[in-house]
Each structure stands twice: as structure tokens, then as C-alpha cells.
Amino acid sequence: MELHHQTLHEVHEKLKKKELSSVELTQAVFKQIGKTEKKIKAFITLTEEMALEQAKKADAVIQKGGNFPPLTGIPLALKDIFLLKGTRTTCGSKILSNFVAPYTATSVENLLRDHAVIVGKLNMDEFAMGSSNETSAFGPCYNPWDLKRIPGGSSGGSASSVAAGHCFGSTGTDTGGSIRLPAAFCSLVGIKPTYGRVSRYGVIAFASSLDQVGPLAKDVTDAAILLKSLAGHDPKDSTSLNLPVPDYQKSLGRKIEGMTIGIPKEYFVSGLEPEIEKAVRDAIEVYKKLGAKIREVSLPNTDAAVPTYYILAPAEASSNLARYDGVRYGFRHPEATDLLSLYKKSRTEGFGPEVKRRIMLGTYVLSAGYYDAYYLKAQKVRTLIRNDFTAAFKECDLLLTPVAPSAAWKVGEKTDDPLKMYLSDIFTINVNLAGLPGMSLPCGFTKEGLPIGLQLIGNHFKEETMLQAAFAYEQATDWHTRRPKL
Ligand code: GLN
């Protein structure tokens, strides 16, 4: 297979054996970017000069010999919501189009500590609000499996860049499905870790009780390597938990015989496309053969997840986005005459329509007179949703569901109907509301050749169980070995 389409752990072996240098690897990646980026539009900013410098330093580490971290010298890319000191960080928005990060996010520091090479900052939905990457102020991003289609969102560039061989892994954020949905649509492995597992310091906030950082990768081993590097306690993020980070790669290969996997019946409802349902049911059969015990479970409040999320997430966003006022960060309207007009003009021109919709919705549900009816009620329903999962995990080690009701749709298909767009998150949002870890992995293709994703959901801080089961499935199938023809 061409170098740029190989996995992270495969190229790591080559670096280790000195069959290849990190500079050569980085150059190969930029060659592929040069060939196909025009069609994909995965990047908002490329950092070639910096990447080659980092690659040289990584080569020096490799030359020294001894053990070096598996990310040493590996080209990766960051969703443009992660701060990287001295580089532009736009969050997909006009309001931050000239914002240069004054410091680096802790999760990115972790990747740099492990000598990773950063090739650029990736396209995304504006402020991570969207499911298709179409709300980006920098234009859409395209799915390498079918260039007429969206890659999923909001971490669209994070998925399309890895699938197109523009990097060997990427970072994403997931507030309601933004890692898992694009991973599913681009035939990748994507992990949304437990709330608190990865530091969010230096990651631009959308909805702080839901946001979590995670990796997108070509297979389960690569995802495990990336998660290990990203995760860990950070005193700078008060929501990050002080728990040891297991060596996730070690959990791969353990037998899953006797593991109980729950199938929530509310996830197999009308609206789920038959081809997707078949692929997921086939995956259940694979798990049976591997010795897992399959059991139907019920999560009765599943229906309430989309409305609950679309009250809570906009409420938190309206508060988080109040800081973009034309004074402290980014775009400042040149024609403002006083403070109020500066706020008004900068925000009116700086934010796109979806972000404005969320700010207005969020401000409304938090306002006096509506707070109890909407925000408080949604908080109570959130508890019910979490309780459903707690009950299910008394009987099961893992839950298995589809990632989305359909495969990737055509660019423009859902842009004029926000509700349709919101409904694509129906199977992923619940996991964020409950703070659980969830992951997406390839489980087939539609007749049209579009990737289908399988979701595994673990109990809090049970990423290892999830990865163990994902790896067992991956070993029994070959979906993860396919690459798009570009
Ligand atoms: N699609 C969801 C939204 O628009 C989730 C986005 C995300 O996870 N960042 O809010």
C-alpha cells in the first residue's frame, strides 16, 4: 500500500527499523496533500515549515536509539479548535479568522512531548456546531469516498484528512457526535473518551458540560496510541480527572469471550436505513461468534436526547461565545462608533447563521421566565437519560449501536433544514449527555460504496473494554483495510 495510506503503527515500525526518516515521511504526506487537497479542502492552515522542523528533531530522537514513543516523527493534524502557539486558530469562524494562539492546548502539548509532527489545522463546522462541516466560514470539506458528499461534522477535516492520507491521525472534539459521525462517514476509528479523560485546556469551548477531545485514526491500534498520548490529568482543566491512564494498546488482543454486549432496542427504530441496520446486525453476529453474550436492553428516554441536547448545548454556547465581542479576540468591526455598535457589528458580521441561531436559542432558554420551563427541565431529563445508561451497565459491559441513521449525504442536502441536520446526531448525543466513552469503527459499506460505522459505548472510564472489543471485531473483519480511491 502507498506510504500515505499505511497506518500509524506500520510507519512507526519503518521509522524504528530506519527504513524511513520522519522528514521523508512528512515530505510524502505533503506530496499527497499537494495532489488531493484541492478536492478535499480538509485544511484551513498548513504548517509545512514547522512540520519539517519537527520532523528533523524527531529524526534526531530516533537516531539516538533506545525506546521512543510511537508518535515520534508521525505527521498528525489538529482540528482548528486546538490552540497551537504561534499558529492561526480560527474555530472555522470569520470572527477568529486572524486569531493567532498565544499558547498551546495541553492535549497538543502531550502529542508534542511524544515528538509528533503537526502538518496543519483542519477544517470544521463553525465553533463545532454542525454535523456536515458545511457551517465552516472557510467553505465545505469533501468526503474522500465520494467527493459530492460531506465528510460528517463537526470534525470534518479531521476525518477527511486521515482518510485521504494527508496525515496518520488527527484530533477532534465531540460535543454531540462530532468525532464519531465523521469517523463513521469516512471509514475511520474515532473515540469520544469519558468526560474528564482528556484535558480541554486550550481547546475553544462550545458546550462545556459536553465537550470532549479525542482521536480519529485508521484503525483501533492507531486510535489507542493517540488516546494514550492525549489523555491524562491536567491541573489547568478543573473537569479533568486525576486517574492513571492505562496503556490502551495493551488491552488490545485480550479475548472478549463472556463479555456481555447490550443492544438498546430504541436504537433500531424507523428512520434507520435498512442497509445500515443490516451492517450493524451482521456485526452483532460477529460478536456472537467471538463468544460475546448479546442481550437486548432498553434505554427508554432515548427519544428525549435530541431536544434535551438542543436546549443545553445552545444554552452553554450562548454563555461561552459571549467573549467574542470585538474587543478581546479576533474580528473587530472597522465601522463601529461606540462600544455597543462595536459588539453588535462585530458579532453580526463575525458569526455565521448557525452560530447565531444557537446563541439566540441559548439566550432564550436561559432568560428569566423560560429558565425553569426549558433549561431546568432539560437538566432533569438529562439525569433520566444518564440513569438509563447506569441501569443498562448493571447488566452489560458494553453497548452496541449504529453511529448514525444514514451514511454520508450529499453536500447541500440538509443545509436549509436545521432539524434534519440535528436528527443525524440521534444515536451519538446521548453518550455526551451521560458523559460516557463512545467510539465509532468501520463495519461495512452501502451499495453505493459509502462507509458505515458501528458504535460501541462503554461505562465511565472503561475505554479499555471498548478498545478491546473494537480490536476483536477489527481482527475478525477487513473493513478497516480499505482506502478511498482519489
Ligand atoms: N452536531 C452536533 C451539533 O451541531 C454536535 C456537534 C459536536 O459534537 N461538536 O451541535
Side-chain angles (χ1 to χ4, degrees):
M1 199 182 293
E2 294 149 294
L3 192 56
H4 57 262
H5 274 324
Q6 292 177 17
T7 62
L8 189 162
H9 60 91
E10 280 165 351
V11 291
H12 167 66
E13 287 306 318
K14 294 206 162 101
L15 290 169
K16 220 158 90 180
K17 290 190 201 132
K18 303 211 172 68
E19 290 170 20
L20 182 75
S21 73
S22 172
V23 168
E24 283 163 350
L25 189 60
T26 306
Q27 283 164 341
V29 156
F30 276 102
K31 200 169 153 203
Q32 172 69 0
I33 292 174
K35 259 200 224 155
T36 53
E37 170 61 8
K38 273 198 255 22
K39 295 188 252 181
I40 307 283
K41 305 264 192 247
F43 288 92
I44 292 176
T45 307
L46 285 164
T47 52
E48 186 164 3
E49 218 174 288
M50 184 189 74
L52 287 166
E53 276 308 307
Q54 290 168 333
K56 266 189 219 151
K57 285 195 185 132
D59 279 333
V61 172
I62 296 168
Q63 280 308 323
K64 260 198 236 148
N67 271 342
F68 50 83
L71 291 184
T72 309
I74 305 284
L76 303 177
L78 309 173
K79 184 177 184 177
D80 208 14
I81 196 168
F82 288 81
L83 302 197
L84 175 61
K85 192 177 173 170
T87 60
R88 183 164 79 125
T89 301
T90 69
C91 216
S93 182
K94 180 178 171 187
I95 211 156
L96 289 176
S97 55
N98 293 317
F99 176 70
V100 175
Y103 62 93
T104 299
T106 302
S107 51
V108 178
E109 291 281 15
N110 293 346
L111 300 176
L112 296 174
R113 171 204 62 208
D114 292 341
H115 315 292
V117 169
I118 309 295
V119 299
K121 307 292 297 292
L122 297 160
N123 204 348
M124 57 179 285
D125 278 301
E126 184 177 6
F127 283 100
M129 297 172 189
S131 307
S132 64
N133 209 115
E134 290 166 295
T135 71
S136 168
F138 298 84
C141 172
Y142 300 91
N143 190 321
W145 292 91
D146 179 347
L147 295 170
K148 290 187 294 305
R149 292 175 191 267
I150 53 100
S154 65
S155 313
S158 306
S160 59
S161 61
V162 177
H166 293 173
C167 55
F168 292 93
S170 64
T171 62
T173 57
D174 191 313
T175 305
S178 277
I179 289 175
R180 289 160 287 156
L181 192 72
F185 286 0
C186 293
S187 200
L188 298 172
V189 175
I191 305 178
K192 195 282 283 185
T194 311
Y195 185 78
R197 179 88 274 183
V198 182
S199 164
R200 302 172 312 169
Y201 179 74
V203 181
I204 295 171
F206 163 11
S208 305
S209 79
L210 301 156
D211 298 341
Q212 184 56 208
V213 166
L216 288 95
K218 288 174 191 167
D219 68 8
V220 176
T221 307
D222 288 4
I225 293 170
L226 286 161
L227 180 61
K228 164 91 180 140
S229 178
L230 291 167
H233 177 240
D234 177 12
K236 291 188 191 131
D237 175 358
S238 60
T239 67
S240 97
L241 256 95
N242 198 353
L243 284 177
V245 181
D247 186 343
Y248 294 116
Q249 230 184 316
K250 279 213 182 110
S251 53
L252 312 181
R254 282 186 209 146
K255 283 225 165 54
I256 63 155
E257 235 170 310
M259 202 183 254
T260 306
I261 301 182
I263 314 296
K265 62 172 192 239
E266 290 81 4
Y267 284 60
F268 294 83
V269 283
S270 64
L272 176 62
E273 278 181 16
E275 274 188 297
I276 310 279
E277 172 157 4
K278 170 149 194 333
V280 174
R281 296 230 181 255
D282 287 350
I284 297 173
E285 290 308 310
V286 172
Y287 274 113
K288 276 190 195 156
K289 284 205 192 102
L290 291 168
K293 287 189 223 130
I294 304 294
R295 162 195 288 239
E296 191 183 83
V297 294
S298 174
L299 301 170
N301 293 292
T302 298
D303 263 5
V306 172
T308 303
Y309 172 92
Y310 279 97
I311 289 173
L312 297 178
E316 295 181 24
S318 70
S319 160
N320 273 327
L321 271 59
R323 71 189 67 171
Y324 306 103
D325 53 9
V327 179
R328 285 172 285 187
Y329 307 92
F331 178 69
R332 184 184 178 93
H333 203 284
E335 283 153 30
T337 47
D338 56 13
L339 189 61
L340 207 61
S341 78
L342 176 66
Y343 292 165
K344 233 179 165 171
K345 285 186 194 294
S346 305
R347 286 168 71 83
T348 303
E349 268 194 36
F351 290 134
E354 182 60 28
V355 174
K356 285 182 194 155
R357 179 162 27 245
R358 306 274 180 121
I359 293 174
M360 286 190 280
L361 203 63
T363 308
Y364 177 80
V365 300
L366 287 174
S367 56
Y370 297 108
Y371 183 92
D372 287 3
Y374 294 108
Y375 183 74
L376 201 63
K377 194 160 183 186
Q379 291 287 28
K380 289 179 182 165
V381 180
R382 180 176 188 172
T383 303
L384 296 178
I385 291 169
R386 197 172 47 227
N387 292 348
D388 283 356
F389 282 104
T390 308
F393 281 117
K394 286 209 175 102
E395 303 173 11
C396 318
D397 301 296
L398 274 180
L399 299 174
L400 181 156
T401 77
V403 176
S406 76
W409 54 88
K410 295 216 171 83
V411 175
E413 205 177 306
K414 298 190 185 187
T415 36
D416 44 12
D417 186 347
L419 207 57
K420 253 197 204 158
M421 193 73 89
Y422 299 168
L423 283 170
S424 58
D425 306 326
I426 187 161
F427 302 142
T428 49
I429 269 178
N430 311 269
V431 174
N432 302 71
L433 289 168
L436 296 163
M439 71 185 285
S440 171
L441 62 154
C443 76
F445 288 84
T446 65
K447 275 186 231 81
E448 286 182 285
L450 301 171
I452 303 175
L454 179 71
Q455 176 169 239
L456 297 176
I457 306 168
N459 208 345
H460 292 112
F461 295 98
K462 295 288 188 208
E463 283 86 0
E464 273 181 293
T465 314
M466 212 169 68
L467 284 161
Q468 181 188 348
F471 188 73
Y473 175 79
E474 193 179 77
Q475 292 303 295
T477 55
D478 66 359
W479 309 117
H480 64 290
T481 60
R482 312 215 186 162
R483 300 289 182 265
K485 285 182 199 72
L486 271 167

